[in-house]
Amino acid sequence: MPSATSRLSAVLKRFSSTAAPTTTIVTKAIPSKAHLHKPLPDSAFPKGYALTGLHCGVKKKPELLDLAVILSTSPRPTSAAACFTRNAFKAAPVIVSQEVLQRNDGRARAIVVNSGCANAVTGKQGMEDAWAMARETDALLPEPPSTSETLVMSTGVIGQTLPIAKILAGIRAQSVGEKRTLGSTFDAWERAARAFMTTDTFPKLRARTFTINGKEFRMAGMDKGAGMIHPDMGPPAAPSGQLHATLLGCILTDAAVSPRSLQSALTYAVDRSFNSISVDGEMSTNDTVIVLANGAATAAEEPEIDEEHDPAAYETFKEELTAFAADLAQLVVRDGEGATKFVTVTVEGAPTYKDAHSVASRISTSALVKTALFGEDANWGRILAATGSIPLSAPLDPTRVNVSFVPTDGTAPLPLLVNGEPEKVDEVRAKEIISQEDLEIKVELGIGSESAKYWTCDFSYEYVKINGDYRT
């Protein structure tokens, strides 16, 4: 059977030869993403963590890492928080991780991740395998717990069971001996980030330093995702039923934060970062973002940051976490499958944040908007059509709506619609703006004071090629 690539080429050939003999469809080269990953000094990373990434055999090619292990080695209790997919068909690792957090009242000391197989829609065997991964990783912890303290994440093809013997052997190899590669250097962090990857073109790894009450802390994190990206994640809920998988992320900090405040801060941050990105409008069965706070940079007698006991410190931490999560989330969009554009969609003047967020989401997932962006066609009517399709909490008055393209080079925005009236658009200038790799679409609704941002990309021929042949 011909591949999706050859089938697409045939379709394009037929289209160009029969529909428009004088027209040639030109496919654009995908911009290089190499500049988005750079080495970081070892001192940039938070204290009290040991990590590694290795090849255990989930993926066929031995040079591709497919298993990550992350341990907190801090003597202080480690708080854990997570936001999980709201997809009804939650994968086995999602259900297991929810149970671990609930049983331990928001405490966990380890994360284990495999890529290449989602362990989703795998029934009873999938649940047993996810618990086996957790128990094997527990054994690596200082003073192994009687109740599991390991959170599990998986990503890859849905509907296939894990090669669990290979995964457990890979985890076990990190206990002692020559195969042990757990460490705290940049190389160790990078190996872990690479082990997250599926169709990603670069490891997504970031770190930052921040200060609370005059004390310095560190935060570092990694995520993966390039396709099946339109997360809708929330805090742990009572386990429900079990169904390619997709956005995974973990953030580690050496600050001490109470479990309830860590979850509160993460839920806020995810709504304004990972829940505000879209590559293709598809929600995964496995989307998970985890945060660990191990207090390794805090003296034993110092209290954990808590929103009730020290609101100012909590607010600072929440804002730092939100900004960091947004940075990680944007890397996923920049690495979107086949993407040639990184687009910020800003909606202002909405009655509520939810209204603004809903409109921004609709624009970001419109196939017509995304294909126009790829074709560098300033077809702004598609933006309006998407905007007007969302029911709002207050009536939308079309005569108060403004739409503009905003370049990222600091030059003046280009108005397209002003108070419901179309502008005489300078098509040459519009082409200049949307030909750039980065641009912003700004919509002002004029019926409130709330705003929201979404980050998205275009739809290219390459996206079809990648997803037409995903399992081969």
Side-chain angles (χ1 to χ4, degrees):
M1 177 178 285
S3 69
T5 301
S6 61
R7 291 196 301 271
L8 177 65
S9 297
V11 169
L12 295 181
K13 183 177 180 180
R14 291 197 303 271
F15 178 80
S16 60
S17 61
T18 61
T22 60
T23 300
T24 301
I25 296 178
V26 179
T27 58
K28 295 183 292 184
I30 306 303
S32 170
K33 314 295 173 66
H35 64 286
L36 296 172
H37 177 64
K38 296 178 181 178
L40 298 169
D42 295 348
S43 59
F45 297 102
K47 302 174 183 177
Y49 292 100
L51 307 85
T52 194
L54 55 111
H55 175 81
C56 72
V58 182
K59 296 175 182 174
K60 295 178 181 178
K61 296 180 180 179
E63 67 271 20
L64 298 178
L65 307 186
D66 53 21
L67 179 65
V69 176
I70 301 169
L71 306 178
S72 170
T73 59
S74 172
R76 288 190 61 142
T78 299
S79 297
C83 285
F84 301 102
T85 182
R86 291 189 175 106
N87 193 307
F89 293 98
K90 293 177 175 62
V94 170
I95 297 170
V96 167
S97 295
Q98 287 181 333
E99 290 190 20
V100 169
L101 286 174
Q102 289 163 356
R103 289 180 184 180
N104 298 333
D105 295 323
R107 300 286 186 184
R109 290 186 287 160
I111 303 170
V112 62
V113 185
N114 78 270
S115 57
C117 179
N119 193 13
V121 202
T122 46
K124 182 180 178 182
Q125 185 62 54
M127 292 296 295
E128 292 175 356
D129 290 347
W131 278 117
M133 290 173 65
R135 287 191 298 268
E136 200 67 53
T137 306
D138 287 334
L140 302 177
L141 289 166
E143 302 178 14
S146 57
T147 300
S148 183
E149 291 188 45
T150 296
L151 305 176
V152 185
M153 296 194 288
S154 299
T155 179
V157 178
I158 291 172
Q160 297 181 0
T161 56
L162 295 169
I164 192 62
K166 294 178 179 179
I167 292 174
L168 298 183
I171 298 170
R172 204 173 296 127
Q174 294 304 306
S175 55
V176 289
E178 295 180 356
K179 293 185 177 180
R180 180 181 170 94
T181 53
L182 284 162
S184 57
T185 63
F186 167 74
D187 287 342
W189 284 80
E190 186 187 44
R191 284 197 305 272
R194 288 188 181 278
F196 276 56
M197 295 167 60
T198 51
T199 58
D200 307 67
T201 64
F202 66 94
K204 300 170 177 64
L205 176 64
R206 289 290 186 269
R208 70 163 54 191
T209 300
F210 61 100
T211 302
I212 296 179
N213 292 337
K215 188 168 184 61
E216 186 175 88
F217 300 100
R218 288 173 176 78
M219 182 181 292
M222 60 198 77
D223 60 0
K224 65 81 54 187
M228 196 183 275
I229 301 295
H230 188 79
D232 181 19
M233 294 180 283
S240 54
Q242 300 125 283
L243 179 141
H244 242 311
T246 287
L247 189 143
L248 302 183
C250 73
I251 299 172
L252 312 177
T253 182
D254 52 18
V257 186
S258 70
R260 65 173 181 175
S261 293
L262 189 64
Q263 184 63 63
S264 176
L266 179 62
T267 301
Y268 177 92
V270 163
D271 280 344
R272 289 155 179 80
S273 57
F274 295 103
N275 282 356
S276 296
I277 62 173
S278 188
V279 169
D280 46 23
E282 299 295 335
M283 185 200 303
S284 168
T285 58
N286 291 55
D287 290 336
T288 303
V289 174
I290 294 170
V291 177
L292 299 184
N294 69 4
T298 305
E301 66 277 5
E302 292 186 44
E304 294 176 322
I305 294 170
D306 186 85
E307 53 194 309
E308 287 189 9
H309 300 148
D310 192 345
Y314 168 76
E315 285 298 322
T316 300
F317 177 79
K318 184 179 76 172
E319 293 304 325
E320 289 287 347
L321 181 62
T322 301
F324 188 70
D327 190 13
L328 283 177
Q330 289 172 41
L331 291 178
V332 173
V333 176
R334 290 189 179 280
D335 200 24
E337 290 171 347
T340 70
K341 308 284 184 193
F342 176 81
V343 184
T344 301
V345 178
T346 302
V347 175
E348 298 179 342
T352 67
Y353 172 78
K354 182 179 179 181
D355 287 333
H357 194 261
S358 296
V359 172
S361 174
R362 181 66 188 90
I363 295 168
S364 298
T365 55
S366 166
L368 290 177
V369 171
K370 291 162 77 69
T371 51
L373 289 167
F374 174 72
E376 297 175 355
D377 176 11
N379 194 340
W380 55 268
R382 296 178 176 182
I383 299 170
L384 272 186
T387 299
S389 68
I390 298 297
L392 303 178
S393 61
L396 181 64
D397 181 353
T399 66
R400 303 177 71 174
V401 175
N402 300 320
V403 179
S404 57
F405 287 153
V406 182
T408 57
D409 59 5
T411 56
L414 179 67
L416 306 169
L417 185 80
V418 177
N419 293 327
E421 294 289 336
E423 292 289 284
K424 185 175 182 180
V425 177
D426 182 340
E427 294 291 344
V428 174
R429 177 58 178 152
K431 181 77 170 180
E432 287 176 354
I433 296 174
I434 61 176
S435 295
Q436 298 301 308
E437 198 172 316
D438 286 28
L439 69 142
E440 179 182 2
I441 296 172
K442 186 175 181 180
V443 177
E444 298 169 271
L445 301 180
I447 53 173
S449 58
E450 293 294 324
S451 63
K453 288 184 182 293
Y454 234 85
W455 297 281
T456 191
C457 57
D458 55 347
F459 265 154
S460 70
Y461 302 126
E462 187 67 19
Y463 178 87
V464 178
K465 289 165 63 178
I466 291 169
N467 285 282
D469 272 350
Y470 184 82
R471 296 199 307 165
T472 58

